[in-house]
Amino acid sequence: MPMRRLVLLLALSAALVPPGAPGAATAPNFKLKKGAQGQLCLDCHGGQLEETLKKPFVHTPVKSRECTGCHNPHASAHGKMLADEANRACLRCHDVVPAKARSTHKPIEEKGCTGCHDPHASSFKFNLVKGGNALCASCHKAVVEAAAKARFRHKPIEQKGCVSCHDPHGSAKGSHLLTSEVPGLCTGCHRTDRPIFAKQHQGYPVARARCTSCHDPHGSDKRGMLYNHVHPPVAKAMCSQCHEPATSENPLRTRAEGTKLCRGCHAQRLNQFMEKARVHRPLLEGAACLSCHGPHGSRDAGLLRGPPVAVCGSCHSDTIKRQQVSPTKHAPVRDGNCTACHDPHSSEFPLLLVNAKSAELCGRCHDWLRHTSHPMGEKLQDPRNKNLTIQCLSCHRSHGTEYKKLIPYATTSELCTQCHEQYRR
Amino acid sequence: MSGRTALRTIALLLPLAAAGAEPLSFYYVTTIYRDAKDVALRSPEGVACTSTSLVVADTGNRRLLTFALTESGAITQTGEAKLAELTSPVRLQLDSKGHLLALDGKSHRIVRVDASGGFGGFLEMKGAAHAPVLVGFKLDAADNVYALDVGSERVLVADPGGNVSRTLELPRGPMMSDIAVDSGGTVYAVDGVGATVWSAAKGATRFTQIGKSLKDSMSFPSYALAYQGKLVLVDQHGMGLALLGLDGSYLGRQLAIGWSDGSVYYPAQLCINERGGAFIADRDNNRVQQFTTAR
């Protein structure tokens, strides 16, 4: 490394920790002459930093030319000659993550502070690499875009941005980086003691209920910011269809539990599900339908509790993981379209497949059988097992493998010679 | 505890500990592909066996097949049963007298099958607070029934007549796929999703987790068997068997994914008889495979 660059790093190091800051005491003491902590560095690195230093928000140590606060001028085991591991160098001064955090922001662990902040200078407040919600949209694009496009928007997002409800570093009080837990977070702005509040909620005592069960805090196209997909009784304000009357002793209690409650309206569908030989296990359990569906509303179709890949993946995480590590991605799994092949409620076939014959099931998307393909079908016995016929799944595993083309063997020849043993070498 | 009692306890436990320490290996013997009429098995999900008999739940064909086992290793079909009350037989158990109990995957009730292959009535869980939704059951040496009721998240313990004498609440959260009971009366519950094992000693009122999650070692364990001081789990999506100590410690794996004899593809149930003969309902391979653990 040229000496000039080294010296600049020295200068930067000095600039990143302000004198007297908590971390200053632990910063290395290089017995530099007065002004040499940063000014000396700029002799070499000044040109490189010239444009940066013109930006409106300059990191205090940079401004005060204390480069050695973050950088070691001689040698370092860390990238960019930092005096410490990236995040630890920042945490010397910026103690922003609560000690007993209930939720922490992933980028802090994965990308470090520089995922969101420029350690030298920036055009945006707090040295952020992008301004306002645009920074959040770098990762949470769908959420930010939906919030901006929503017909009924949540004002705090427009006025103060995502940080009006979320702490971008971590929260000791709430999940999802929320500055406090729902409903306390909501009732900080929304008064629940007004008559209109009771009227809007049909007299149900929802002040202590989970607001986000019905309302989308990021805005929606439904009046009252109800989720875009609303359970019809909620949309019609007919809470008492499922809950005890508002005037009863325990008004939030449901009139029945599990499928018994849902059966009131969905009896025919439930009967159809239960008629089949194999019923998806959650349907049999206490929570039943509510294992996968929200009772009030959802951002996702079918009142699912989240995107399908997240809902299915909450139990079938190994399947999702297998797809993630597979070099070849099967589109329905990649896109979370699990229902392309599986019936989420019940089926006559193992694995809740919608069709047990994989050639027919796969043939819905893959038309190879109509032109060129390895012979397949009910009349072709699998040489490895006389109770199996040659199907797509004879050679492929639909959720992926560690090998290309969803095959369970490292090489094609290894796969083929499972049956065509005469060619085995 | 007096010195004599302590010594007696140690003497009783030592063989168990020794058995638990011994490795358990499965060696392929043969495969049952078809019945006596050359009808292929379809998605079999249940097996129950003694040293002289084997019952197969040929689930896809909605029937039970019974076989006689001889010391020489011959397997001869002795019967076939199709019951209107048992259209989806999934789990089987033979009691100490050789009577068959079968769990119907559709009605989630236990069906008694009489010696002639006829319907012997439902095993009702008498005294249970709510109608149970059963997904698994086991019998102990005295033919007491341990039933996994996922509808009310509990394990019901009943005498052979179905009179419930004890209820064990299941922990909230885990999705129990099966239970096992060992010779000491300890009940084990296997969490299919989290790959954790929970146990409740005889007389306990609740389950406690033993060991850590074995998610890295198995995927959707679906069936559990307490055998010779070990827990043998059918690792259904992991395509094999996982062996655990009774303390939940991971001991190893047996068998692997495949379509040829000796391999398994979405195995469902396992039974091991007094001679160490093991049968596996190899569901997605449409067959039952025999192994021996006695080499």
Side-chain angles (χ1 to χ4, degrees):
Chain A
M1 181 183 283
M3 184 56 75
R4 280 173 67 103
R5 189 173 289 178
L6 197 68
V7 177
L8 174 62
L9 283 168
L10 165 71
L12 282 169
S13 313
L16 283 167
V17 175
T26 57
N29 181 6
F30 296 108
K31 296 182 181 174
L32 290 165
K33 289 180 182 174
K34 194 179 179 189
Q37 288 94 335
Q39 199 52 53
L40 184 62
C41 311
L42 288 177
D43 288 348
C44 294
H45 298 278
Q48 193 184 336
L49 281 171
E50 195 177 349
E51 285 305 309
T52 305
L53 293 173
K54 283 180 190 166
K55 289 182 179 172
F57 299 95
V58 182
H59 197 195
T60 311
V62 179
K63 203 185 279 178
S64 57
R65 308 292 188 262
E66 296 282 346
C67 307
T68 54
C70 299
H71 298 277
N72 187 317
H74 301 130
S76 168
H78 314 292
K80 300 183 191 302
M81 292 191 73
L82 283 169
D84 210 335
E85 282 173 32
N87 280 6
R88 280 173 59 184
C90 308
L91 292 172
R92 285 174 173 184
C93 299
H94 304 281
D95 190 13
V96 289
V97 182
K100 289 182 180 175
R102 282 186 59 194
S103 52
T104 50
H105 203 190
K106 251 189 182 179
I108 296 179
E109 285 295 319
E110 291 173 359
K111 297 180 187 171
C113 307
T114 53
C116 297
H117 300 277
D118 187 312
H120 298 122
S122 157
S123 303
F124 308 102
K125 211 174 173 185
F126 303 119
N127 281 20
L128 291 171
V129 294
K130 283 183 189 171
N133 292 352
L135 175 61
C136 307
S138 315
C139 296
H140 305 280
K141 192 180 172 192
V143 179
V144 173
E145 279 184 358
K149 283 182 192 165
R151 193 168 155 221
F152 298 95
R153 295 175 200 163
H154 200 190
K155 272 188 185 164
I157 301 177
E158 291 186 299
Q159 291 165 348
K160 292 183 186 171
C162 310
V163 293
S164 53
C165 296
H166 300 277
D167 186 318
H169 299 114
S171 172
K173 295 178 183 169
S175 58
H176 302 92
L177 302 176
L178 290 171
T179 52
S180 66
E181 205 52 277
V182 177
L185 179 63
C186 312
T187 55
C189 297
H190 300 275
R191 284 181 56 191
T192 57
D193 56 353
R194 293 186 303 173
I196 183 75
F197 182 86
K199 191 181 171 192
Q200 283 169 332
H201 294 93
Q202 285 73 52
Y204 277 89
V206 294
R208 288 184 188 174
R210 191 168 180 81
C211 313
T212 50
S213 179
C214 299
H215 301 282
D216 189 333
H218 299 127
S220 82
D221 294 335
K222 299 268 185 206
R223 189 172 292 281
M225 276 177 30
L226 289 173
Y227 282 105
N228 281 343
H229 302 274
V230 192
H231 199 193
V234 177
K236 293 176 202 159
M238 296 166 79
C239 309
S240 60
Q241 270 198 357
C242 300
H243 293 276
E244 299 278 352
T247 50
S248 68
E249 198 175 308
N250 198 347
L252 294 182
R253 189 167 63 191
T254 51
R255 289 181 181 272
E257 287 185 355
T259 50
K260 280 182 191 161
L261 179 65
C262 306
R263 191 172 280 283
C265 295
H266 304 283
Q268 205 175 339
R269 292 206 75 191
L270 273 164
N271 289 342
Q272 284 170 356
F273 300 155
M274 299 299 181
E275 272 297 300
K276 294 186 179 166
R278 291 172 173 85
V279 177
H280 196 195
R281 171 66 185 272
L283 258 178
L284 303 174
E285 295 181 345
C289 312
L290 300 185
S291 303
C292 304
H293 301 279
H296 300 125
S298 169
R299 291 190 188 111
D300 295 279
L303 296 180
L304 280 180
R305 286 196 177 275
V309 74
V311 174
C312 303
S314 63
C315 289
H316 301 275
S317 59
D318 7 22
T319 305
I320 305 298
K321 196 172 157 190
R322 198 189 310 160
Q323 169 79 179
Q324 284 166 349
V325 298
S326 176
T328 303
K329 310 291 182 196
H330 193 196
V333 189
R334 181 197 61 206
D335 302 338
N337 186 13
C338 308
T339 54
C341 302
H342 302 278
D343 187 316
H345 300 112
S346 63
S347 164
E348 293 294 343
F349 314 115
L351 303 171
L352 298 183
L353 288 171
V354 293
N355 189 329
K357 294 171 184 166
S358 64
E360 286 177 19
L361 179 60
C362 306
R364 289 172 168 194
C365 299
H366 304 281
D367 65 352
W368 293 331
L369 274 178
R370 292 184 198 151
H371 43 90
T372 49
S373 153
H374 185 285
M376 280 194 268
E378 294 302 298
K379 291 177 183 168
L380 279 153
Q381 192 183 84
D382 189 322
R384 299 166 297 181
N385 176 334
K386 63 182 176 185
N387 278 2
L388 296 176
T389 54
I390 299 293
Q391 304 280 341
C392 307
L393 294 178
S394 304
C395 299
H396 301 281
R397 298 213 65 213
S398 53
H399 298 119
T401 68
E402 59 266 54
Y403 311 113
K404 285 182 183 174
K405 298 177 183 172
L406 311 177
I407 63 173
Y409 299 98
T411 61
T412 311
S413 56
E414 202 181 336
L415 170 72
C416 300
T417 53
Q418 295 295 315
C419 296
H420 303 279
E421 289 178 351
Q422 68 274 28
Y423 299 116
R424 198 174 281 173
R425 278 181 258 173
Chain B
M1 187 187 282
S2 72
R4 281 185 73 165
T5 317
L7 278 173
R8 194 181 301 158
T9 309
I10 292 165
L12 280 168
L13 288 175
L14 268 177
L16 284 175
E22 280 174 19
L24 185 63
S25 301
F26 289 72
Y27 303 95
Y28 173 73
V29 177
T30 189
T31 302
I32 302 169
Y33 280 103
R34 289 161 192 254
D35 68 4
K37 295 174 196 157
D38 204 32
V39 175
L41 268 58
R42 222 170 93 198
S43 306
E45 293 196 37
V47 281
C49 54
T50 65
S51 57
T52 55
S53 67
L54 166 72
V55 189
V56 172
D58 187 12
T59 313
N61 288 322
R62 302 178 173 209
R63 62 179 182 167
L64 300 171
L65 296 174
T66 52
F67 298 87
L69 307 176
T70 64
E71 212 163 326
S72 64
I75 302 174
T76 316
Q77 191 185 330
T78 52
E80 177 186 353
K82 274 196 175 190
L83 304 176
E85 297 82 2
L86 190 63
T87 55
S88 185
V90 288
R91 300 273 169 94
L92 306 178
Q93 296 290 317
L94 286 163
D95 71 13
S96 61
K97 298 172 192 77
H99 299 145
L100 179 69
L101 290 102
L103 178 69
D104 185 58
K106 199 165 169 181
S107 67
H108 302 285
R109 298 170 80 184
I110 297 170
V111 172
R112 292 181 198 275
V113 182
D114 64 27
S116 62
F119 177 60
F122 288 107
L123 177 73
E124 302 292 358
M125 288 287 150
K126 295 164 201 159
H130 305 283
V133 180
L134 306 182
V135 298
F137 75 107
K138 290 289 178 338
L139 305 177
D140 65 13
D143 295 334
N144 292 312
V145 184
Y146 297 74
L148 174 59
D149 171 17
V150 296
S152 300
E153 294 173 73
R154 61 190 175 177
V155 173
L156 299 169
V157 184
D159 67 16
N163 299 300
V164 175
S165 58
R166 190 173 155 213
T167 300
L168 284 162
E169 296 297 325
L170 288 168
R172 296 276 162 153
M175 194 211 76
M176 300 306 181
S177 53
D178 197 30
I179 50 171
V181 56
D182 69 13
S183 53
T186 299
V187 186
Y188 301 87
V190 178
D191 165 20
V193 170
T196 55
V197 180
W198 300 66
S199 77
K202 196 172 186 177
T205 53
R206 61 174 60 196
F207 283 91
T208 50
Q209 187 178 336
I210 53 170
K212 54 176 187 168
S213 167
L214 296 166
K215 196 81 183 155
D216 291 341
S217 309
M218 62 182 88
S219 174
F220 271 90
S222 60
Y223 185 81
L225 179 72
Y227 179 73
Q228 290 189 346
K230 294 183 185 67
L231 283 175
V232 186
L233 304 185
V234 175
D235 181 11
Q236 190 165 79
H237 290 218
M239 319 283 179
L241 302 175
L243 307 178
L244 271 56
L246 293 181
D247 58 355
S249 57
Y250 180 70
L251 301 177
R253 288 185 66 82
Q254 288 284 299
L255 311 183
I257 180 174
W259 298 263
S260 305
D261 287 337
S263 304
V264 291
Y265 196 54
Y266 291 100
Q269 188 179 357
L270 158 84
C271 68
I272 306 177
N273 64 23
E274 301 87 330
R275 287 195 203 132
F279 293 86
I280 294 178
D282 190 7
R283 188 190 72 190
D284 282 20
N285 269 329
N286 293 329
R287 65 190 180 190
V288 168
Q289 296 199 75
Q290 185 187 9
F291 295 82
T292 182
T293 61
R295 270 195 203 174

